[in-house]
Amino acid sequence: MSKYDYDLITIGAGSGGVRASRLAGKYGAKVAVIEESRYGGTCVMRGCVPKKLLVMGSHFAQHFEDAVGFGWSVQGAAHDWGAMIAAKDKELERLEGIYRRMLRDVGATLMDGRGKLTDAHTVEVNGKAITADKILVAVGGWPAIPDFPGKEHVISSNEALDLPKRPQRIVIVGGGYIAVEFAGIFNALGSEVDLIIRSGHLLRGFDQDVRATLAEELEKTGIKIHRDCLIRSIEKTAAGYSVMFDLGEEIIADCVMYATGRMPNTSGIGLPEAGVKLNKKGAVQVDEWNRSSVESIFAVGDVTDRINLTPVAINEGRMFAETFFNKNPMALDYTNIASAVFSQPPVAAVGLTEAEARTSHKVRLFISRFRPMKHTLSGRDERTMMKLVVDKATDRVLGCHMVGEDAPEIIQGLAVALKCGATKAQFDSTVGIHPTAAEEFVTMRDPVPEKDPAAAEQ
Ligand code: NDP
């Protein structure tokens, strides 16, 4: 008999925690899962899933406009924000039910409440102490909003997904994934969107050609990007929220949303007290096996601030369970993890940016920009951009980047090719599917002429 109540206590029922707990349970472990909010976590309840549903819902506006060029008469199309939110909420309820059921199906005990570590093997929940051989911290992250006068007036993506009414004028602060995705949703549905970025470019970390192309495309759709701007203060006035910029400009908006990054959710859950080391950002420091500085305490997902993406958390959870509950040691390979931004048009990429590649390789670049076939009839002024970064010495494709319709679906396939170490010659020998946008990735023959590498700023 184990000296502990459980083999595994998981704190946090998001993507990583649920996958680890389900698998551990399937492999015979006695598991307890503690969740203070909703099962499914950020991705399912406050992130990827509801966001993507809203992206899909808002994108119909463009479909209706485009349909006219193909002979359709689309009159009287109107959007009901409340109906979309209600439909989305119903789907989230269904998903939460599935998450709870999947855990119960493997015999896990579900505890609704806030878990707090009191030592290396003990967690307190709802006033009761429970013990486990291993504890998995999978509590995710939370929006980080800087301090400034008027901060109390702003919302984060959490609230943006549940607004009772669509704001007619919205200011969105930040130029990352969340900011550009929500800018697209509100803009497509007819709101006036002012996107405020503190630097000159959107999407830090993405390839410079992607960043520039996306900004151009967003501006074409009517989103107003304010570059090199910071907000000094926000005041509530009779006309709306008065948003004052550092350089004195003012915008009046019905809603101000901040999407300025996320912080690990580690405060007040007893981590330092239990001896768990956190980094400067408050993230749990773990080794390749997801083990913290305390032998019995592990962490996966956004709380570790490695690559903050749902499929990464799921894989970390899976590998934790395989390693410790199925005698099958597995550690995640963090190279060539594809990601996508569901902006309108969307962005997706896998592998190195041109700037990253140039730090250690001599590169050949292939870039294609074209008007998607659909828009030859729709008349929409939208261009697609595709880029391959190729190692000159080995011919290996180091990075694939795309801005344009279906980019996430296309790049997912190319991620497999990059994992396999595909060369440009192998891309070239692949016969395309016609007529598609994706075929362009296997038909780009002429490298772009060499340019000054210093110009390829990060
Ligand atoms: P990001 O880290 O992607 O972007 C944060 C943005 O806020 C940057 O543009 C940054 O500017 C800006 N910023 C940071 N601090 C300030 C400040 N004090 N004042 C003004 N601007 C500021 O964060 P997000 O919140 O967009 O998303 C968080 C994470 O969630 C992402 O990193 C991603 O891992 C994940 N996510 C993934 C999605 C997907 O896969 N599709 C969708 C949504 C989220 P600068 O560039 O100058 O630093």
Side-chain angles (χ1 to χ4, degrees), residues 51 146 173-179 181 198-199 201 204 230 259-262 308-309 340-342:
K51 175 276 312 283
V173 184
Y177 287 76
I178 297 180
E181 291 179 341
R198 64 178 175 183
S199 69
H201 301 281
R204 180 185 295 282
L230 283 174
T260 45
R262 295 171 61 87
N308 298 333
L309 297 172
V341 186
F342 294 94

Side-chain angles (χ1 to χ4, degrees), residues 145-158:
I145 301 178
D147 276 324
F148 63 91
K151 177 180 178 176
E152 66 278 13
H153 299 308
V154 313
I155 63 165
S156 71
S157 53
N158 291 347

